[in-house]
C-alpha cells in the first residue's frame, strides 16, 4: 500500500479532525499515570463550542451530530489520544499536599491547522490514581459555570483555558444532594502548574525538575531556550506572565478565589474555575469562596498571592539554577523582588487605558487611586462606574452629583486635555475607553439564573443567551439589563469549590 492510501485512510478514519501529538506522555513515567476514562451510562451533548472546535481544526458538524456525546464523555476515544492523569502537588491555602488529576484526564495535545498545540482534557471523567477520597466525577452546574466564565474571560481578552464541550453522563453524582453528572472538555495551552514542579521537587528529583523546565521552555517560551541559564529565564518569563495575568484580572474585577499553587499555570493562562466570581461593588476585600474564611484569596490580595506562589516555584527550581545554593537563592530573589513593579506597571498601563489616557504623568497613579477610593466609600459598581465614564457627557451622570467626585471629574478631564488628541485616524477618547471597559461581565445572578434553568429544567436557552452577550463584552448589549448589578435581594454571593 502506497503512502497516498495510508494518508487517505488516516483521513477516512478521522473525519472529526483529531490530530494528536502527545509530547507530555513521552516524558518520564513519574510525571503521570496512563489510564482510560471510565465509561458513562448515557452520554448526552449539552454544549459544544463551535468556534473553538473550528479553531482547533475539528469538525463541529460531525462532533455535534454523530459522535460528540460518545467522544466528549470518554466512551469512545478519538484516534491518536493517549489518555493520562497528570501528577502534581500544590500549596493549598498555604499547606503543601500531593495532589494530581483526581477527576481529570488529559486525552492528548491537539495540533491546530496553524500548528499550535493545545491540551484536550476531560474534567469529571472518573477516578484516577490521584483521586484520594474523591469520586472523580463532576456535576452539571459547576461544569456549565466553568464553560460560561472561562469563555467570558476569553472574550474579555484575559488569557485562559477554554471550554470545548459539556456532556451529561446519565449518572448521578452524590454531593449534598444527588446531582446530574457531567464532563467538561477543557482546552489549555498546557496543564503544567507550579504544583507540577512542586511534585517533582518533593520527590527530590532534580533531574526531573530540569527535564520539566526544559519541556516547559520548549512548549511555552521557545525563544528562551538558548539562554545562558534556561531555568532562570523560565522563572523570569513565568513571573512576567503572571504579573500580566493578575493585572488583567484586577482590571476586569475578577476574583479567582482559589489561587493555590496547583491552580497556577506556567503558560500564564487563568486555570481552575471553581469558586471564582466577578466583583460588583468595588472592594479590595471581596471574597466569594465559602471556604476562604481568612480572605487569603480576596480580590485585593491577588498580586501578593501570585508573588507568594512564584516563590514556591522558585524554590523548586533552586537546585537547577546554580550549583551554589547561595547563588541560586540570590538569582531567584532578584526575579521575585521585581514582581511588584512589573505587576504595577501592567496594572497602571491598563488603568490608564480604561481612563482614556495615552500618555503618562507622575500623578496618574494617585488619580486612579482616588477614583477607586471613591468607588469603595460609596459602594459603587466597579464595572459600570468605569463604563459610565466613557459616556458622552459623564458630568451629567448621577455619580458626579457628589461634590468630592465632581472634583475628581474635573481633575480627570483636565488630565485628558493635557494629552495630544489628533482628530483624524485615532479613535476618540470615549471609543478607546469603551474598548477597555466592558459593558457586560458574567454577573453572578445572571450566571445562577442560567445554571438554574439548565440544571432544574434542562433549559439551555438562558445559557445560550448569556453566552451570546458575554461573547461581545465591549459592545453595548441589546438588552441593557445584562449590565445591571444583582438586585439587593440577591444578598451576599457565595461560591463553592467546583466539585
Ligand atoms: P481544585 O480545588 O479543583 O483545584 O482541586 C484540588 C484537587 O482535588 C485536585 O487534585 C483535584 O483533582 C481533586 N478533586 C477535586 N474534586 C474531585 C473529585 N470529585 N474527585 C476526585 N478528586 C477531586
Ligand atoms: Mg485545581
Amino acid at each position: 500500500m502506497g503512502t497516498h492510501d495510508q494518508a487517505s485512510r488516516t483521513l477516512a478514519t478521522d473525519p472529526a479532525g483529531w490530530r494528536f501529538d502527545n509530547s507530555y506522555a513521552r516524558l518520564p513515567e513519574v510525571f503521570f499515570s496512563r489510564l482510560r476514562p471510565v465509561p458513562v451510562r448515557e452520554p448526552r451533548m449539552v454544549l459544544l463550542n463551535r468556534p473553538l472546535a473550528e479553531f482547533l481544526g475539528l469538525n463541529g458538524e460531525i462532533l455535534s451530530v454523530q459522535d460528540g456525546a460518545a467522544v466528549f464523555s470518554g466512551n469512545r476515544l478519538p484516534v491518536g489520544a493517549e489518555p493520562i492523569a497528570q501528577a502534581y502537588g500544590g500549596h493549598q491555602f498555604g499547606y503543601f499536599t500531593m495532589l494530581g488529576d483526581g477527576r481529570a484526564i488529559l486525552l492528548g495535545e491537539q495540533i491546530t491547522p496553524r500548528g499550535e498545540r493545545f491540551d484536550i482534557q476531560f474534567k469529571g471523567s472518573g477516578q484516577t490514581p490521584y483521586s484520594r477520597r474523591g469520586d472523580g466525577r463532576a456535576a452539571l452546574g459547576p461544569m456549565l459555570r466553568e464553560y460560561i466564565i472561562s469563555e467570558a474571560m476569553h472574550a474579555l481578552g484575559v488569557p485562559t483555558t477554554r471550554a470545548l464541550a459539556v456532556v451529561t453522563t446519565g449518572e448521578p453524582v452524590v454531593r449534598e444532594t444527588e446531582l446530574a453528572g457531567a464532563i467538561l472538555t477543557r482546552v489549555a495551552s498546557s496543564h503544567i502548574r507550579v504544583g507540577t514542579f512542586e511534585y517533582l521537587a518533593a520527590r527530590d528529583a532534580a533531574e526531573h525538575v530540569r527535564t520539566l523546565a526544559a519541556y516547559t521552555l520548549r512548549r511555552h517560551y521557545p525563544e528562551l531556550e538558548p539562554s545562558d541559564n534556561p531555568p532562570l529565564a523560565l522563572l523570569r518569563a513565568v513571573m512576567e506572565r503572571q504579573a500580566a495575568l493578575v493585572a488583567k484580572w484586577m482590571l476586569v474585577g475578577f476574583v479567582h478565589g482559589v489561587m493555590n499553587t496547583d491552580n497556577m499555570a506556567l503558560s500564564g493562562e487563568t486555570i481552575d474555575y471553581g469558586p471564582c466570581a466577578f466583583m460588583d461593588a468595588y472592594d479590595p476585600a471581596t471574597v466569594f469562596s465559602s471556604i476562604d474564611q481568612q480572605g487569603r484569596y480576596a480580590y485585593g490580595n491577588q498580586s501578593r498571592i501570585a508573588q507568594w506562589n512564584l516563590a514556591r516555584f522558585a524554590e523548586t527550581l533552586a537546585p537547577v539554577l546554580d550549583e551554589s545554593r547561595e547563588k541560586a537563592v540570590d538569582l531567584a530573589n532578584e526575579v521575585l523582588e521585581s514582581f511588584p513593579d512589573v505587576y504595577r506597571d501592567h496594572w497602571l498601563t491598563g488603568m490608564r487605558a480604561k481612563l482614556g489616557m495615552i500618555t503618562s504623568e507622575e500623578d496618574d497613579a494617585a488619580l486612579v487611586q482616588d477614583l477607586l477610593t471613591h468607588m469603595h466609600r460609596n459602594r459603587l459598581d466597579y464595572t459600570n462606574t468605569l463604563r459610565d465614564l466613557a459616556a458622552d457627557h459623564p458630568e451629567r451622570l448621577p455619580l458626579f452629583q457628589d461634590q468630592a467626585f465632581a472634583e475628581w471629574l474635573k481633575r480627570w478631564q483636565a488630565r485628558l486635555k493635557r494629552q495630544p488628541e489628533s482628530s483624524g485616524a485615532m479613535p476618540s477618547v470615549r471609543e478607546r475607553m469603551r474598548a477597555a471597559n466592558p459593558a457586560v461581565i458574567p454577573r453572578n445572578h445572571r450566571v445562577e439564573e442560567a445554571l438554574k434553568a439548565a440544571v432544574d429544567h434542562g433549559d439551555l436557552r438562558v445559557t445560550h443567551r448569556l453566552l451570546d452577550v458575554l461573547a461581545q463584552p465591549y459592545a453595548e448589549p441589546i438588552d441593557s439589563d445584562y449590565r445591571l448589578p444583582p438586585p439587593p435581594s440577591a444578598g451576599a454571593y457565595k461560591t463553592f469549590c467546583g466539585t
Side-chain angles (χ1 to χ4, degrees):
M1 198 183 289
T3 48
H4 178 76
D5 287 336
Q6 209 62 44
S8 57
R9 201 162 64 177
T10 309
L11 281 176
T13 49
D14 189 29
W18 294 106
R19 210 175 137 215
F20 282 112
D21 173 56
N22 306 318
S23 63
Y24 204 87
R26 294 195 290 272
L27 288 169
E29 298 273 339
V30 294
F31 285 64
F32 55 84
S33 301
R34 296 183 193 276
L35 80 174
R36 294 175 70 96
V38 180
V40 307
R41 200 184 297 152
E42 200 189 337
R44 256 179 226 272
M45 203 74 202
V46 177
L47 287 176
L48 175 68
N49 190 335
R50 293 271 193 136
L52 180 57
E54 196 169 305
F55 169 79
L56 291 168
L58 299 173
N59 184 324
E61 201 59 46
I62 290 174
L63 287 173
S64 64
V65 186
Q66 294 174 15
D67 56 7
V71 168
F72 293 120
S73 63
N75 281 7
R76 193 169 76 233
L77 282 182
V79 178
E82 269 185 69
I84 58 173
Q86 290 173 306
Y88 55 86
H91 278 82
Q92 299 188 301
F93 289 91
Y95 299 96
F96 184 74
T97 327
M98 289 300 223
L99 298 159
D101 286 333
R103 56 163 175 169
I105 288 185
L106 177 65
L107 280 191
E109 299 144 26
Q110 170 76 0
I111 309 298
T112 70
R114 288 186 355 210
E116 291 169 305
R117 179 184 299 267
F118 286 94
D119 276 9
I120 308 291
Q121 193 203 55
F122 290 154
K123 192 164 168 183
S125 52
Q127 284 177 320
T128 76
Y130 313 107
S131 295
R132 293 172 294 163
R133 284 180 302 279
D135 61 1
R137 291 296 182 190
L140 178 58
M143 296 305 101
L144 286 177
R145 194 168 187 279
E146 170 155 348
Y147 189 116
I148 295 167
I149 300 184
S150 64
E151 285 304 303
M153 289 283 273
H154 172 72
L156 284 163
V158 184
T160 178
T161 64
R162 297 193 61 190
L164 179 59
V166 174
V167 296
T168 46
T169 60
E171 295 170 17
V173 295
V174 183
R175 297 291 180 259
E176 269 147 32
T177 56
E178 271 201 3
L179 302 167
I183 297 172
L184 171 84
T185 302
R186 176 158 76 181
V187 176
S189 286
S190 85
H191 286 83
I192 307 165
R193 307 148 188 268
V194 168
T196 318
F197 279 82
E198 290 180 284
Y199 170 83
L200 298 171
R203 298 173 60 123
D204 210 9
E207 256 336 284
H208 291 323
V209 169
R210 204 186 300 276
T211 301
L212 185 61
Y215 177 86
T216 309
L217 268 182
R218 167 147 303 182
R219 195 156 168 185
H220 297 300
Y221 307 92
E223 68 284 4
L224 300 178
E225 279 189 294
S227 310
D228 290 343
N229 186 340
L232 183 63
L234 176 64
L235 176 62
R236 187 172 292 117
V238 169
M239 180 278 287
E240 281 169 3
R241 274 200 204 168
Q242 285 302 324
L245 178 67
V246 175
K248 288 205 165 173
W249 291 355
M250 298 301 286
L251 292 166
V252 297
F254 177 76
V255 186
H256 182 285
V258 61
M259 289 179 72
N260 296 331
T261 54
D262 50 305
N263 295 333
M264 185 187 265
L266 297 204
S267 62
E269 288 176 344
T270 311
I271 188 169
D272 214 311
Y273 290 85
C276 64
F278 280 72
M279 174 173 72
D280 297 301
Y282 179 80
D283 184 352
T286 302
V287 173
F288 295 104
S289 173
S290 55
I291 60 167
D292 191 2
Q293 308 273 336
Q294 312 292 319
R296 179 181 170 91
Y297 300 138
Y299 173 76
N301 273 353
Q302 297 188 113
S303 71
R304 273 189 294 277
I305 290 292
Q307 190 181 8
W308 191 89
N309 290 351
L310 288 165
R312 305 290 78 71
F313 178 46
E315 282 164 6
T316 71
L317 289 178
V320 300
L321 285 177
D322 199 276
E323 278 163 24
S324 142
R325 173 81 195 172
E326 208 179 321
K327 181 83 194 298
V329 170
D330 285 348
L331 290 171
N333 276 338
E334 198 189 315
V335 175
L336 294 170
E337 282 161 13
S338 65
F339 177 88
D341 284 345
V342 176
Y343 163 76
R344 205 174 154 75
D345 277 353
H346 281 289
W347 177 79
L348 189 55
T349 302
M351 270 298 175
R352 283 199 178 101
K354 284 168 103 61
L355 292 174
M357 305 172 183
I358 50 174
T359 54
S360 321
E361 286 188 12
E362 192 74 28
D363 290 341
D364 289 347
L367 188 64
V368 171
Q369 191 48 56
D370 289 348
L371 171 64
L372 294 175
T373 303
H374 185 79
M375 284 190 204
H376 189 192
R377 283 210 189 110
N378 296 281
R379 296 203 54 73
L380 298 180
D381 186 84
Y382 174 72
T383 302
N384 288 349
T385 303
L386 284 161
R387 179 81 178 183
D388 285 346
L389 291 177
D392 289 335
H393 295 283
E395 63 282 357
R396 292 186 196 156
L397 294 168
L399 217 59
F400 295 111
Q401 304 323 308
D402 177 299
Q403 189 55 37
F405 209 28
E407 269 161 37
W408 181 89
L409 180 73
K410 276 191 208 127
R411 268 166 72 204
W412 174 55
Q413 288 178 328
R415 165 70 180 80
L416 290 182
K417 285 212 183 81
R418 287 196 296 273
Q419 62 190 14
E421 199 62 59
S422 79
S423 49
M426 258 204 323
S428 73
V429 175
R430 311 263 169 257
E431 256 175 77
R432 265 201 328 264
M433 285 181 64
R434 282 194 284 266
N437 293 297
V440 206
I441 52 165
R443 297 276 181 185
N444 300 317
H445 63 298
R446 286 298 194 164
V447 175
E448 288 305 314
E449 171 190 63
L451 299 185
K452 192 169 166 45
V455 172
D456 294 354
H457 309 290
D459 178 357
L460 266 299
R461 286 173 303 182
V462 190
T463 298
H464 282 294
R465 277 201 297 274
L466 182 60
L467 286 170
D468 283 348
V469 175
L470 292 172
Q472 294 198 58
Y474 297 98
E476 207 53 46
I478 293 169
D479 178 353
S480 60
D481 283 359
Y482 280 101
R483 289 193 55 190
L484 295 177
S489 61
Y493 187 65
K494 279 274 160 246
T495 57
F496 303 89
C497 273
T499 46

